[in-house]
Amino acid sequence: TQLLEQSPQFLSIQEGENLTVYCNSSSVFSSLQWYRQEPGEGPVLLVTVVTGGEVKKLKRLTFQFGDARKDSSLHITAAQPGDTGLYLCAVSYGNNRLAFGKGNQVVVIP
Amino acid sequence: DAGVTQSPTHLIKTRGQQVTLRCSPKSGHDTVSWYQQALGQGPQFIFQYYEEEERQRGNFPDRFSGHQFPNYSSELNVNALLLGDSALYLCASSPGRVATGELFFGEGSRLTVL
């Protein structure tokens, strides 16, 4: 059983469109992270959310942590080809040991 | 400031062989973790090294072993390779005494087992 379920697994959109991807679990977490992984690269941390209901913005990316701290969403406004990548949510088990979801593969077509 | 570096970037092995992958952590980091990422999957935790000892281990068989050197660099060894070991192996570093959950990853070593 996957601890973190990410949906949709694959999403292809046109440049300029908006998109939202989700990370869900039945467990409660003290914090949750989003990473982006581009082809041939390792994951890069985008944001850490800690408080239930928290919203964080990173340019055109908006991250929200669910009120119950069981789920999170990532919304991209006016997507650009540079937003193409695998978006991974992750939670920490302590001592910086992370459990990842399978990822949301996003493709933005010019 | 060099980030996390891994070598080799790509390698091909045959079943039954052994492989060694290497990692140098980000400057100032003393903890190294290894992850396996199969195609279409998220990274899976293999183990973590701190102060030259294995501090945590994921659900991987004993064929997977590692080592950390006094300069904090690390090696991942896999014996008796199976086809299913084909994956991207990621090294991540972090400061050992601060559990922020923020990891810095290398670009990975792509292993293909034929």
Side-chain angles (χ1 to χ4, degrees), chain A residues 5-22:
Chain A
E5 297 286 347
Q6 294 191 243
S7 62
Q9 288 190 10
F10 181 83
L11 184 58
S12 177
I13 62 170
Q14 295 290 328
E15 181 177 357
E17 293 183 335
N18 301 330
L19 69 97
T20 302
V21 295
Y22 301 91

Side-chain angles (χ1 to χ4, degrees), chain A residues 7 15 20-21 28 30-31 42 45 47 49 56 59-60 65 67 72 74 78 80 84 100 105-106 110:
Chain A
S7 62
E15 181 177 357
T20 302
V21 295
V28 177
S30 58
S31 66
L45 179 66
V47 75
V49 286
K56 281 192 172 180
K59 296 182 180 179
R60 293 174 294 97
F65 201 14
D67 291 341
S72 182
L74 160 59
Q80 303 294 313
T84 293
F100 286 88
Q105 180 63 58
V106 172

Side-chain angles (χ1 to χ4, degrees), chain B residues 8-20:
Chain B
T9 54
H10 295 83
L11 68 167
I12 300 174
K13 294 285 188 178
T14 56
R15 282 178 297 175
Q17 286 190 312
Q18 178 264 346
V19 68
T20 297

